[in-house]
Amino acid sequence: MASRWILKPKPSIDEINKLKESLGISDSLAIILLQRKIKNFDEAKSYFRPKLSQLHDPYLMKGMKEAVQRVLSAIKNDEIIMVYGDYDVDGTTSVSLMYTFLKSIYKNVTYYIPDRYKEGYGVSAEGINYAADNDVKLIISLDCGIKAIEMVDYAKHKGIDFIICDHHLPGEDLPNAVAVLDPKRKDCEYPFKDLSGCGVGFKLIQALSKPLEINEKEIYSYLDLVVVSIAADIVPIMGENRIMAHFGLKILNENPRLGLKMLIPKESVGNVNISKIVFAIAPKINAAGRIKQATDAVRLLISENQMSARKYMSEINDLNKERKEIDLSITNEALSQLEKETDFRYTTVVYNPNWHKGVIGIVASRLTEVYYRPTVVFTRGDNGMVVASVRSVKGFDVYEALLECSDLLERFGGHMYAAGLTMKEVNLPNFKRRFEQVVGKLIHKTQQTPTVEIDTEISFKEITPKFIRILKQFEPFGPENLMPQFLTRGVSFAGDARYMGKENEHIKLSVFHPDARKVFMAVGFGMGSLLKRMKSEPFDMVFSIEENVWQGKAHLQFRIKDVRFTDKFASS
């Protein structure tokens, strides 16, 4: 499917020149900084040189004082504290962070991760019953709990207090907990609203460190867990998240905790970035909760013993391998199902009662990449119900579409780009028709085509060692601070090319531009069919610039995002 190229608005010449001169950088770098709302020397210094001293005072968060007092009271009175978290990466890193911290200062600490299939998302009655049976007096929930009004009341009835550390949007009412830490609370004036769940947990241990007289350096050692949560939960990498991600990556690359060290692929040791967390580390952590029990991931992350860590790592590798096999099998079955489907233009909806619940979200994402439509993947649930994962395309609010189908649903939740739902199986045909109609009514034509966003046009002349050094300082990349994408027109093949992949689906080739007399290596994933033409015709190329580390040596290369064999360029 041909992509729509969108060139981002260019700042004014005066703005570009002013920033360019104050920093001594090229036009393109000045443009990219201005697009990130960095307009002067001081803002650029803060962006390029993040400092831990720039982290906000944790006591600015509503409820922090009460949370700290309750934890200190539990320690003083020798009460059992249970750390409770969700089964995804953010939840398991949060539990690992809080449990490891508390265990370092206090013996009566335990943890609990709900079973994805038996208990579902969030605070469960089973978890509270487990706490009551084990004489727990305080539960600290992480990455969940903000809407657990009934469960917190149930815990209170059993004599258990709650501290909630969450980052999801609250409902109209808050649970009756001792403290509710959530920067998205309407009455919370905390300056940064986009922390991960683990990030909120980090603010609590940061606050606890003061009365407990724990050195700040010791607290900052937990940022390796925080950066993994930031990357995996796809929160904006700006503000506090960017500072914590920057220093968390330093720890991951220099001295990570044992469990995380085991998770880093050998070829990435010392060179971990956000992308490698997302694609190489997070899926392994997630595999435990998708296929078996997320508790396995926590055991690895909190492990201090080489032998036990190797055992947990081996189990997680096996689970991840199983997850990949199941994921591939279901994706192929879904694609086969869709080849016979001709009645739907705007949506992709598939169902098989035998598909594994733990991977339908991954499959929905893959189908969205192939068909570029709002996608729903169903499998059988319990008691005559079906469950589904929903994924969307850029700019389309799939949650709004589900609202218009809500009379057919038992439960649903999520946000603009991802959701989950439960529905009676008998409603499936009606849902398919309604969802198609609703999406067809709401979706804009521009949302039906993949887009490639371009930061700026660039000449190969500009790509110098100094340019690369400065560009590298834009990291860590992620939401709100994406890796810049450049456009160069009239690129030509430079004489060196080869196919990659089992089916020659990927390519690596050398490219040059007549104006620059420079040759660069470029890789294009999924572009095998284009190589013959690229070798014989000039083309316009959208690309990012990255370092490829192979056998300990770093090499500059372009990652091709898209090409066009035309002089015409559409900006909308």
Side-chain angles (χ1 to χ4, degrees):
M1 185 183 293
S3 298
R4 192 165 54 98
W5 290 10
I6 300 176
L7 190 58
K8 290 181 183 177
K10 193 173 181 178
S12 72
I13 297 297
D14 285 347
E15 285 179 307
I16 295 168
N17 286 337
K18 186 177 176 183
L19 189 61
K20 172 184 165 183
E21 287 165 16
S22 69
L23 298 176
I25 58 175
S26 69
D27 284 29
S28 295
L29 291 171
I31 289 168
I32 297 166
L33 284 171
L34 288 163
Q35 287 167 341
R36 284 156 169 71
K37 306 208 169 13
I38 295 158
K39 299 177 181 176
N40 55 51
F41 181 88
D42 289 337
E43 289 173 355
K45 183 181 178 183
S46 179
Y47 176 78
F48 285 129
R49 302 283 185 272
K51 294 179 180 177
L52 289 165
S53 59
Q54 294 169 324
L55 293 176
H56 301 303
D57 181 346
Y59 285 94
L60 294 173
M61 195 175 291
K62 181 82 172 177
M64 188 61 78
K65 183 180 176 184
E66 292 78 6
V68 169
Q69 287 175 344
R70 183 63 186 90
V71 174
L72 294 176
S73 170
I75 293 171
K76 181 181 177 183
N77 296 317
D78 208 26
E79 296 173 347
I80 300 175
I81 302 172
M82 187 169 89
V83 182
Y84 185 111
D86 188 21
Y87 39 69
D88 67 1
V89 177
D90 194 10
T92 51
T93 52
S94 298
V95 168
S96 302
L97 174 143
M98 188 60 63
Y99 175 81
T100 305
F101 169 77
L102 290 174
K103 201 71 177 172
S104 71
I105 57 168
Y106 181 59
K107 65 181 185 300
N108 284 335
V109 189
T110 186
Y111 63 88
Y112 188 92
I113 306 280
D115 185 293
R116 178 191 289 264
Y117 305 107
K118 294 177 183 174
E119 299 168 67
Y121 169 78
V123 179
S124 69
E126 291 91 338
I128 292 168
N129 290 337
Y130 174 87
D133 291 344
N134 288 276
D135 298 322
V136 170
K137 296 300 177 189
L138 173 64
I139 294 176
I140 303 174
S141 72
L142 296 126
D143 191 36
C144 62
I146 196 64
K147 292 187 178 178
I149 293 171
E150 291 180 6
M151 288 297 103
V152 171
D153 288 342
Y154 178 57
K156 191 173 282 289
H157 174 71
K158 287 185 169 284
I160 301 168
D161 286 338
F162 250 91
I163 293 171
I164 292 169
C165 300
D166 206 344
H167 69 131
H168 296 101
L169 199 65
E172 285 299 312
D173 299 312
L174 295 175
N176 187 22
V178 171
V180 177
L181 306 179
D182 188 333
K184 292 190 176 76
R185 283 179 61 166
K186 288 179 183 176
D187 59 348
C188 182
E189 296 181 359
Y190 192 74
F192 187 71
K193 301 295 183 184
D194 292 308
L195 294 168
S196 64
C198 190
V200 177
F202 177 79
K203 299 312 291 189
L204 176 54
I205 71 168
Q206 194 183 5
L208 282 164
S209 70
K210 296 179 182 180
L212 291 169
E213 298 182 350
I214 296 171
N215 190 295
E216 275 193 336
K217 284 185 179 179
E218 190 176 327
I219 299 304
Y220 295 146
S221 72
Y222 292 91
L223 289 176
D224 56 351
L225 288 166
V226 179
V227 70
V228 172
S229 80
I230 287 170
D233 224 51
I234 319 179
V235 291
I237 299 191
M238 56 186 289
E240 258 193 323
N241 282 343
R242 191 166 188 277
I243 298 166
M244 292 191 290
H246 174 87
F247 288 98
L249 285 170
K250 282 191 76 169
I251 299 169
L252 267 185
N253 285 311
E254 293 170 9
N255 188 29
R257 68 194 60 245
L258 180 59
L260 287 176
K261 187 177 182 179
M262 294 264 182
L263 285 161
I264 298 170
K266 286 181 182 178
E267 66 274 13
S268 298
V269 171
N271 190 43
V272 178
N273 57 25
I274 295 295
S275 178
K276 285 172 183 171
I277 294 173
V278 171
F279 293 108
I281 297 173
K284 293 176 189 173
I285 298 173
N286 257 334
R290 289 185 187 281
I291 305 300
K292 191 184 169 190
Q293 279 274 8
T295 308
D296 292 348
V298 175
R299 288 185 183 127
L300 174 64
L301 292 173
I302 66 174
S303 181
E304 295 179 354
N305 177 279
Q306 282 274 358
M307 191 175 293
S308 60
R310 282 198 193 96
K311 175 177 172 285
Y312 299 136
M313 189 66 237
S314 175
E315 290 172 3
I316 283 174
N317 278 332
D318 289 344
L319 291 171
N320 193 44
K321 185 180 177 184
E322 185 180 347
R323 189 270 307 165
K324 285 179 180 178
E325 290 168 355
I326 294 169
D327 161 17
L328 180 62
S329 172
I330 294 175
T331 300
N332 288 336
E333 287 176 23
L335 289 169
S336 296
Q337 206 178 109
L338 289 165
E339 284 173 8
K340 302 162 191 168
E341 186 66 79
T342 57
D343 296 338
F344 294 84
R345 290 179 53 207
Y346 302 105
T347 63
T348 300
V349 181
V350 289
Y351 170 57
N352 185 314
N354 300 316
W355 287 343
H356 196 295
K357 277 193 257 183
V359 301
I360 57 173
I362 301 171
V363 175
S365 296
R366 296 198 193 287
L367 296 181
T368 305
E369 289 172 12
V370 175
Y371 285 91
Y372 206 74
R373 300 172 184 163
T375 297
V376 190
V377 178
F378 281 96
T379 189
R380 183 172 289 157
D382 299 319
N383 304 318
M385 297 287 177
V386 290
V387 295
S389 280
V390 189
R391 296 292 183 268
S392 192
V393 295
K394 187 163 185 177
F396 183 77
D397 192 338
V398 77
Y399 187 82
E400 184 184 348
L402 291 177
L403 278 172
E404 295 208 22
C405 305
S406 59
D407 58 303
L408 298 171
L409 310 178
E410 296 298 306
R411 294 191 302 276
F412 73 101
H415 51 78
M416 183 170 181
Y417 291 115
L421 64 87
T422 302
M423 180 178 71
K424 290 176 182 173
E425 189 170 1
V426 294
N427 287 342
L428 189 53
N430 286 338
F431 174 84
K432 284 184 75 171
R433 284 192 292 270
R434 176 89 65 82
F435 190 63
E436 170 76 7
Q437 290 166 2
V438 169
V439 173
K441 178 182 74 175
L442 296 176
I443 199 163
H444 298 148
K445 191 174 182 181
T446 56
Q447 292 167 345
Q448 296 174 53
T449 307
T451 58
V452 175
E453 286 198 341
I454 301 161
D455 292 80
T456 186
E457 288 195 53
I458 192 171
S459 163
F460 282 6
K461 286 179 184 175
E462 238 184 298
I463 304 172
T464 63
K466 179 183 176 182
F467 178 95
I468 299 300
R469 281 198 309 273
I470 296 170
L471 187 64
K472 194 166 174 55
Q473 292 173 46
F474 279 66
E475 297 182 31
F477 296 123
E480 306 295 328
N481 189 51
L482 293 171
M483 182 180 285
Q485 297 197 148
F486 303 101
L487 166 68
T488 301
R489 305 176 197 268
V491 175
S492 293
F493 173 58
D496 182 18
R498 64 184 174 89
Y499 290 102
M500 301 186 297
K502 290 179 182 177
E503 298 177 9
N504 291 340
E505 65 269 36
H506 314 306
I507 56 173
K508 186 167 190 175
L509 72 160
S510 56
V511 294
F512 80 101
H513 194 280
D515 291 347
R517 292 186 180 179
K518 289 184 176 182
V519 173
F520 296 98
M521 292 306 297
V523 293
F525 292 98
M527 294 186 175
S529 61
L530 299 176
L531 181 57
K532 189 175 179 181
R533 197 171 172 191
M534 291 168 79
K535 288 167 78 172
S536 60
E537 294 180 44
F539 51 91
D540 298 345
M541 180 174 75
V542 179
F543 62 100
S544 58
I545 302 172
E546 61 186 17
E547 256 187 359
N548 179 37
V549 178
W550 178 251
Q551 295 181 339
K553 292 183 180 179
H555 305 279
L556 179 72
Q557 72 178 19
F558 296 164
R559 181 174 290 224
I560 306 170
K561 303 295 181 178
D562 203 5
V563 296
R564 282 187 182 170
F565 300 94
T566 174
D567 293 331
K568 295 179 182 178
F569 174 71
S571 61
S572 62

